[in-house]
Amino acid sequence: MDLIKINDNKLKIMLTPVDMQCYALKADELDCGGIETRQAFRNIMDEVRNRTGFDAKGNQIYVQVYPSREGGCEMFVTKLGLLCALGEGEERPSLSPANNISISPATKHQPQKQLERNHTVAFVFEALDHLLRVCRRLHARAYSGSSAVYHGEEGCYYLLLSDNASRRCTLSDRSMLAFLCEYGLQQNAEVVRLYIREHASPVCEKNAVARLSDL
């Protein structure tokens, strides 16, 4: 198991196929609401705490899982209680001790036609520096879809990306979403659109990735 502490609120966990066997997990068959999956995750987090000091107990946890071709996976663990609001109207999981973990499988489970027809993703960043790093890396990867950035009244920054499947860099690529999750928290794009109408001001509504990558 390899661990990268991104910041005080976010951690990246990389599990090899051997690690997956040890925890009796299969990334492509995760029962996100199952008792066994949640217990395995708690066991993983116990080891994480012992090795890094990253303690998630008492926090509401959001976990994004991205399976690898070799049978392992990448997990991004975020302590939601220490980040800004998800957005008006978007519900969070219960904070009860038995249900304070929300596990989300990779977006590959969505039908490909749906991804191509309307593939817009939204991310929230708690710091401007995180947003700018994302823009630089997206620009370096030749991302050329539409992009817009907004500054929420609570201080967070929102990035909306609408991809063009005919372009070189597509958001349906799991590695792209995994990279974005290193810096921000993925949101429901429709909820974010509704939120920014009333509670955010535009920073750059056109070609945000290219324009902000120079900063």
Side-chain angles (χ1 to χ4, degrees), residues 13 69 76 80 96-97 129 161 164 197-198:
I13 303 172
R69 294 179 181 178
F76 290 89
L80 291 179
S96 64
D129 180 60
L161 301 171
N164 184 336
R197 290 178 185 175
E198 301 291 335

Side-chain angles (χ1 to χ4, degrees), residues 114-134:
Q114 179 180 346
L115 287 171
E116 293 175 353
R117 180 173 63 252
N118 184 27
H119 192 200
T120 298
V121 296
F123 283 81
V124 61
F125 303 89
E126 59 180 349
L128 177 60
D129 180 60
H130 296 169
L131 168 67
L132 296 180
R133 290 183 185 183
V134 163

Side-chain angles (χ1 to χ4, degrees), residues 27 38 43 49 60 100 107 157 172 180 185 209 211-212:
R38 290 173 179 270
N43 292 337
R49 184 177 65 255
Q60 183 180 355
N100 69 332
T107 55
Y157 292 86
S172 55
L180 289 168
L185 182 65
V209 167
R211 292 180 178 180
L212 298 181

